[in-house]
Amino acid sequence: MKKDIQIPKVVGVYVAIVNEYNEIYKTQDWNAYIINDKNVDIDMVIIVTSGYSEEKMTSTFRKKLDRLPKKSYAKIELMQEKLFALNNTFKVSFFEGNTMFDKTYLFRKNTINLKALQPLPLMPVKGVLVK
């Protein structure tokens, strides 16, 4: 019975952490984004984030997007630098048509830093990307 369950693979949806200038507060901030590089809109996007290590665990943050249009991105949250010493997970669930997709994106501890920046799909900035 378990072998009959089809779990579709998530392709074209990414989570990125971007270091960008905040015009309002005149600071360099780290922000998490979800990127939809698909050629279709995705609906009912639910993102659950948390950080953890052997000794510490953060509170859980949840965000819902009714729709993320094709070839677009949206900000998830501002991230404090002290969180980068933890493993940070982003559990993303969404619908594409009538099919539900689910994937956990993991940024391992100390992998989010300025040396790890790379070009991102669709975004005009560099960031740390998990596919």
Side-chain angles (χ1 to χ4, degrees):
M1 184 130 139
K2 201 173 190 180
K3 63 180 175 53
D4 297 328
I5 298 172
Q6 297 294 323
I7 301 172
K9 184 177 178 180
V10 174
V11 177
V13 176
Y14 314 111
V15 174
I17 310 294
V18 175
N19 184 260
E20 55 193 351
Y21 186 70
N22 184 322
E23 289 288 336
I24 296 170
Y25 297 108
K26 310 290 186 220
T27 57
Q28 281 296 127
D29 293 339
W30 289 92
N31 292 298
Y33 285 87
I34 183 166
I35 302 170
N36 178 10
D37 199 21
K38 294 175 163 285
N39 288 318
V40 294
D41 296 349
I42 58 177
D43 300 307
M44 289 297 299
V45 182
I46 308 277
I47 305 159
V48 179
T49 70
S50 63
Y52 65 92
S53 69
E54 292 80 26
E55 306 88 32
K56 294 182 181 178
M57 182 174 239
T58 67
S59 58
T60 301
F61 175 82
R62 293 172 183 84
K63 180 160 181 105
K64 176 183 160 257
L65 302 169
D66 291 328
R67 170 164 283 164
L68 186 59
K70 63 183 178 182
K71 301 292 182 182
S72 70
Y73 53 90
K75 187 183 290 188
I76 300 171
E77 67 177 330
L78 170 72
M79 295 191 68
Q80 297 176 349
E81 285 190 52
K82 61 184 170 184
L83 294 174
F84 301 160
L86 305 174
N87 294 307
N88 289 279
T89 61
F90 291 78
K91 296 177 182 180
V92 177
S93 301
F94 62 91
F95 282 92
E96 181 181 325
N98 290 326
T99 305
M100 184 177 178
F101 290 80
D102 185 71
K103 183 172 181 176
T104 299
Y105 299 85
L106 173 64
F107 290 89
R108 297 201 182 276
K109 64 182 179 179
N110 301 317
T111 59
I112 303 169
N113 58 64
L114 293 174
K115 293 178 184 173
L117 299 179
Q118 61 181 311
L120 301 174
L122 303 176
M123 296 183 73
V125 296
K126 290 185 177 183
V128 181
L129 182 71
V130 173
K131 295 181 180 183

